[in-house]
């Protein structure tokens, strides 16, 4: 397996989301990355300031700095964590820019959706960072990301609900090609893309609400 860095996965995930949603925020993702001595990746938000500004950052476990250790042990899991946290950051930034509300459930559901789409296209878009598992269709992505997944956290109910909601919308977004044996990962499927994009624009709609 070729040697790559965690930074390359972070940058590629950020680049992918910007391309998928056709957004180009004027910021450097690495200005918002922190590392800490814990095993719980998360997005940090501090809006306690008296000004209109707030602090936001993605905090990864410090072990992520040991690229060889993390990536060589489980490249799929590492990318999965990175994709989800970068997705959270991406949608929080755009919600703030548009002054749109974004609930925890909506944020987690969008993270699951982005994780699926990112994995579906990953090897085609980033061959130098390719995953060991080949993903030829939607079923492969589901098996890799959702099958036999468990949550061991105090927020288990939220994560299960978000995953269920994401799966519901993914089935709708890719309904026209869900059972296809081969998916052309070299390009975005416009029908699926438009459906998913509409979810980010209509967050007050019950489709992404509890």
């Amino acid at each position: 397996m070729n040697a790559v860095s965690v930074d390359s996965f972070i940058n590629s995930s950020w680049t992918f989301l910007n391309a998928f949603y056709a957004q180009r925020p004027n910021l450097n993702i690495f200005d918002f990355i922190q590392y800490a001595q814990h095993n719980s990746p998360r997005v940090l938000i501090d809006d306690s300031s008296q000004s209109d500004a707030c602090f936001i950052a993605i905090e990864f476990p410090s072990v992520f700095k040991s690229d060889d250790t993390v990536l060589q042990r489980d490249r799929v899991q590492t990318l999965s964590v990175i994709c989800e946290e970068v997705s959270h950051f991406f949608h929080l930034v755009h919600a703030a820019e548009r002054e749109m509300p974004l609930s925890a459930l909506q944020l987690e559901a969008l993270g699951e959706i982005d994780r699926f789409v990112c994995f579906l296209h990953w090897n085609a878009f980033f061959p130098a960072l390719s995953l060991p598992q080949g993903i030829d269709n939607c079923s492969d992505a589901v098996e890799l990301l959702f099958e036999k997944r468990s949550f061991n956290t105090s927020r288990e109910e939220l994560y299960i609900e978000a995953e269920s909601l994401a799966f519901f919308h993914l089935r709708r977004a890719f309904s026209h090609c869900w059972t296809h044996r081969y998916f052309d990962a070299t390009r975005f499927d416009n029908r699926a893309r438009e459906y998913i994009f509409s979810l980010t624009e209509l967050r007050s709609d019950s489709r992404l609400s509890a």
Side-chain angles (χ1 to χ4, degrees), residues 21 192-203 205 207-208:
Y21 289 103
R193 188 183 188 185
E194 289 175 6
Y195 181 97
I196 293 170
F197 185 78
S198 72
L199 298 177
T200 70
E201 293 299 297
L202 300 171
R203 293 196 184 102
D205 190 300
R207 291 184 301 166
L208 263 180

Side-chain angles (χ1 to χ4, degrees), residues 132-164:
Q133 290 87 338
I135 300 177
D136 292 327
N137 49 47
C138 294
S139 294
D140 286 348
V142 168
E143 183 176 359
L144 186 63
L145 298 176
F146 298 129
E147 296 292 337
K148 300 179 181 178
R149 190 182 183 197
S150 61
F151 301 100
N152 184 19
T153 170
S154 60
R155 303 180 74 191
E156 179 179 8
E157 185 175 340
L158 169 65
Y159 293 143
I160 291 175
E161 186 176 358
E163 185 177 89
S164 176

Side-chain angles (χ1 to χ4, degrees), residues 11-198:
N11 186 58
S12 296
S13 297
W14 179 248
T15 300
F16 179 86
L17 289 179
N18 281 286
F20 184 75
Y21 289 103
Q23 302 286 346
R24 291 290 184 274
N26 186 26
L27 56 83
N28 180 352
I29 184 65
F30 293 106
D31 291 339
F32 302 88
I33 301 295
Q34 297 184 357
Y35 296 93
Q37 295 291 336
H38 59 68
N39 295 317
S40 302
R42 57 197 175 189
V43 173
L44 303 175
I45 303 174
D46 183 358
D47 59 358
S48 60
S49 172
Q50 297 299 315
S51 68
D52 292 335
C54 73
F55 170 84
I56 181 171
I58 305 175
E59 191 173 79
F60 288 121
S62 56
V63 69
F64 272 34
K65 288 186 176 181
S66 305
D67 299 336
D68 291 341
T69 301
V70 176
L71 291 173
Q72 302 310 321
R73 183 173 63 238
D74 193 340
R75 182 174 291 200
V76 170
Q77 175 61 20
T78 301
L79 177 57
S80 183
V81 169
I82 290 172
C83 283
E84 193 164 356
E85 297 309 318
V86 170
S87 168
H88 292 342
F89 179 81
F90 179 91
H91 291 293
L92 282 168
V93 168
H94 286 286
E97 288 178 344
R98 294 192 292 267
E99 297 184 350
M100 296 175 64
L102 185 62
S103 71
L105 175 61
Q106 292 165 343
L107 190 66
E108 293 298 334
L110 287 169
E112 296 290 348
I113 289 171
D114 289 343
R115 203 164 59 99
F116 177 93
V117 176
C118 193
F119 269 73
L120 200 60
H121 291 277
W122 189 264
N123 284 358
F125 275 53
F126 309 108
L129 308 174
S130 61
L131 301 171
Q133 290 87 338
I135 300 177
D136 292 327
N137 49 47
C138 294
S139 294
D140 286 348
V142 168
E143 183 176 359
L144 186 63
L145 298 176
F146 298 129
E147 296 292 337
K148 300 179 181 178
R149 190 182 183 197
S150 61
F151 301 100
N152 184 19
T153 170
S154 60
R155 303 180 74 191
E156 179 179 8
E157 185 175 340
L158 169 65
Y159 293 143
I160 291 175
E161 186 176 358
E163 185 177 89
S164 176
L165 185 60
F167 188 75
F168 169 81
H169 286 299
L170 286 169
R171 283 299 303 263
R172 286 196 163 194
F174 292 94
S175 61
H176 56 290
C177 59
W178 190 265
T179 58
H180 290 189
R181 298 181 67 180
Y182 175 75
F183 178 85
D184 183 5
T186 63
R187 62 182 182 86
F188 294 131
D189 184 283
N190 285 332
R191 182 172 168 181
R193 188 183 188 185
E194 289 175 6
Y195 181 97
I196 293 170
F197 185 78
S198 72

